Amino acid sequence: MNRLPDLSPDKSPLSLVELIYGTPIKEVMSADPVTLDRKASMRRAQELMRDKGITGIPVAEDGRLYGIVSIHDLIRAMQIEKLDTTVEDLMTSKVVTLEEAMPLSMAISYFGKYSYGRFPVMNSQQLLTGIITVRDINVTLINRLMQEVTRYEAMLDNDVKPGLSITRVFHTRRHDFEHGGRASTAIKQHLVEHNLDRRLIKKVAIASYELEMNQVVHSIGGTISFKVTPESVEILVQDRGPGIENVEAALTEGFTTAADWIKSLGFGAGLGLPNAKRVSDEFFIHSQIGVGTTVKAIIYLKSKETER
Amino acid sequence: MTLKELAAQDWIEVVSSEYDDAQIKGVYTSDLLSDVMANAEEDSVLITIQAHNNAIAVASLAGINGIIICNNRPVPDDMPATARKEHIALFRTAHNQFKTSCLMGKLINGA
């Protein structure tokens, strides 16, 4: 089974810490859970589980919790042929509960500590108000993380400060030739607006376009980010795979793995990476099969100027 | 020779006419976009059969002001609009790349 990562506050990203320590269980649990009276039969428990698609039902009356009937209890009842017995007799009565006001981190750690599939949730008066399952946590985490990531991406995309220095991130998709070059065109435009030397702009344009189109042609998609400072333009491209089998060969002019239809569009002649490397002042490439490829290309804006 | 003067040639069909007129300082003939990117000079005209938006993107990045599509290759509907947006002159001709290159050579060098 997969292990949970160490979620202690000093070892996790701040936004994740805020999320799991700052969200009360009340916002994650399913409220007003289905319950059973003590005198209900195990057969009734079986019907409820089947109809509602759940695997555990708290036994409670007027909010007071007496126990919980899980699918394991039900299987046991079926084995000993006691489906008509009251739930009171076969329920688990030593129930581990959580409280509404506790942070989500507590629920996560309880699921790690105990092998239960659900925990009843109590309010401050010790009355049952909800039930929490791993599914509830998953749904909450995915939703919140989506909001967070969307917020971060928007921040990165809009980080256009006045002046030359900017950081921008663009996304590429596999075989999306239609939008291929969008990132490079935007960055070139930015440099033109700041009256950079045309030869430097062209170097940036070449490196950026080749790396961008490489992602479109070869990868399953990724990001291309630019960090422009008065000293240099740093182009960082990261894709999600499939990775380059032989990086040295890929850096050799004329080496290509592109399909014929891609070649017919004027790409995939094995010039991309060599071109990008040639115009860059610093060039790093790392690739791992099944993981992806990262390329960092840096073009100096200052020192080259003084060399001339 | 300017782009407008080139547009007036009887073997040239103007596909997108919204561009900034400019002197043609060179001509580059290639169907390989990485090659164009790396080797074409700025302010030149590109002779190619690559009739799609990526040719415009490369032209824009490489500082090419005009494109001549050869062999009357069909131009996709979105290409003229992209050319307009980038202020790149888009032309088409029935000639192939060699014939077009020869004609451009004569126009530019007067040979």
Side-chain angles (χ1 to χ4, degrees):
Chain A
M1 201 163 48
N2 292 326
R3 288 227 168 165
L4 270 176
D6 185 347
L7 292 173
S8 47
D10 57 327
K11 290 193 178 135
S12 310
L14 195 60
S15 52
L16 187 64
V17 169
E18 274 172 18
L19 205 170
I20 64 171
Y21 288 86
T23 307
I25 287 178
K26 190 179 167 100
E27 289 176 20
V28 183
M29 69 183 193
S30 300
D32 301 321
V34 178
T35 60
L36 286 161
D37 287 352
R38 281 173 287 170
K39 297 293 176 202
S41 65
M42 287 303 282
R43 194 176 298 282
R44 176 71 188 135
Q46 183 194 18
E47 286 165 10
L48 275 178
M49 285 188 197
R50 188 190 56 215
D51 295 349
K52 308 273 183 192
I54 51 181
T55 55
I57 306 170
V59 179
E61 287 170 23
D62 298 325
R64 189 172 160 195
L65 182 69
Y66 294 96
I68 194 161
V69 176
S70 72
I71 202 152
H72 300 291
D73 300 324
L74 187 67
I75 290 168
R76 193 158 55 91
M78 287 161 118
Q79 280 172 341
I80 58 176
E81 294 180 351
K82 282 199 170 170
L83 275 181
D84 292 311
T85 314
T86 59
V87 294
E88 191 175 33
D89 288 338
L90 292 172
M91 70 186 183
T92 307
S93 53
K94 279 185 191 160
V95 186
V96 180
T97 62
L98 288 163
E99 281 193 34
E100 280 183 345
M102 289 174 173
L104 174 58
S105 59
M106 201 83 145
I108 294 173
S109 91
Y110 268 43
F111 278 109
K113 268 186 221 167
Y114 303 97
S115 58
Y116 300 128
R118 67 209 66 72
F119 293 101
V121 180
M122 321 298 279
N123 65 12
S124 51
Q125 278 89 49
Q126 288 304 307
L127 296 174
L128 177 76
T129 52
I131 192 158
I132 186 166
T133 63
V134 172
R135 185 191 150 88
D136 295 320
I137 297 178
N138 285 344
V139 169
T140 304
L141 284 182
I142 290 170
N143 279 329
R144 298 283 174 88
L145 286 175
M146 260 173 74
Q147 289 170 10
E148 276 295 288
V149 172
T150 307
R151 200 168 61 84
Y152 277 118
E153 287 186 353
M155 262 164 57
L156 291 171
D157 274 350
N158 297 328
D159 189 20
V160 185
K161 297 186 197 86
L164 175 66
S165 298
I166 53 160
T167 302
R168 290 202 66 180
V169 181
F170 297 85
H171 295 262
T172 63
R173 283 192 302 267
R174 180 179 177 81
H175 295 168
D176 182 10
F177 289 94
E178 199 55 37
H179 297 103
R182 191 176 58 109
S184 309
T185 306
I187 209 67
K188 184 198 170 186
Q189 195 54 43
H190 175 76
L191 299 178
V192 168
E193 280 163 17
H194 286 84
N195 295 319
L196 253 75
D197 182 272
R198 284 182 89 178
R199 268 189 290 177
L200 285 174
I201 295 178
K202 187 149 185 197
K203 285 169 77 176
V204 173
I206 290 175
S208 148
Y209 187 75
E210 295 294 6
L211 295 173
E212 185 177 1
M213 291 318 291
N214 265 350
Q215 278 194 341
V216 172
V217 168
H218 298 289
S219 85
I220 58 172
T223 57
I224 172 162
S225 60
F226 299 93
K227 195 170 137 195
V228 184
T229 65
E231 284 73 39
S232 67
V233 176
E234 185 181 310
I235 307 165
L236 182 70
V237 293
Q238 292 176 295
D239 66 52
R240 299 184 290 274
I244 302 170
E245 199 149 330
N246 185 342
V247 173
E248 210 175 308
L251 283 166
T252 311
E253 218 162 270
F255 177 89
T256 180
T257 56
D260 283 347
W261 70 270
I262 287 172
K263 289 183 186 150
S264 76
L265 290 171
F267 299 105
L271 292 175
L273 277 179
N275 270 357
K277 190 176 175 188
R278 185 172 47 81
V279 296
S280 301
D281 296 302
E282 290 180 41
F283 190 86
F284 308 97
I285 179 163
H286 178 77
S287 190
Q288 200 177 337
I289 292 291
V291 178
T293 302
T294 300
V295 180
K296 185 153 99 173
I298 302 176
I299 289 129
Y300 300 145
L301 300 183
K302 274 255 173 75
S303 53
K304 278 276 130 87
E305 208 74 20
T306 48
E307 272 175 33
R308 264 191 256 129
Chain B
M1 164 130 217
T2 67
L3 289 167
K4 288 255 151 67
E5 286 164 8
L6 173 58
Q9 299 296 313
D10 58 2
W11 51 276
I12 283 280
E13 171 198 350
V14 179
V15 181
S16 169
S17 55
E18 285 174 43
Y19 54 88
D20 306 325
D21 197 20
Q23 277 292 329
I24 300 171
K25 293 185 183 159
V27 179
Y28 200 78
T29 305
S30 179
D31 298 324
L32 201 50
L33 296 180
S34 283
D35 173 50
V36 175
M37 189 86 225
N39 299 316
E41 288 168 51
E42 300 230 340
D43 300 318
S44 54
V45 160
L46 172 65
I47 297 173
T48 186
I49 56 161
Q50 296 298 353
H52 52 80
N53 278 343
N54 297 110
I56 308 272
V58 164
S60 166
L61 288 166
I64 290 167
N65 299 323
I67 301 175
I68 306 174
I69 305 289
C70 294
N71 289 342
N72 267 344
R73 295 267 283 208
V75 171
D77 292 345
D78 56 357
M79 197 179 176
T82 311
R84 274 200 296 280
K85 212 176 117 217
E86 298 293 332
H87 302 282
I88 286 171
L90 188 57
F91 304 130
R92 186 164 71 166
T93 177
H95 298 314
N96 65 22
Q97 293 98 308
F98 174 70
K99 187 76 200 289
T100 309
S101 302
C102 291
L103 288 168
M104 284 307 291
K106 269 188 202 159
L107 286 173
I108 289 216
N109 303 323

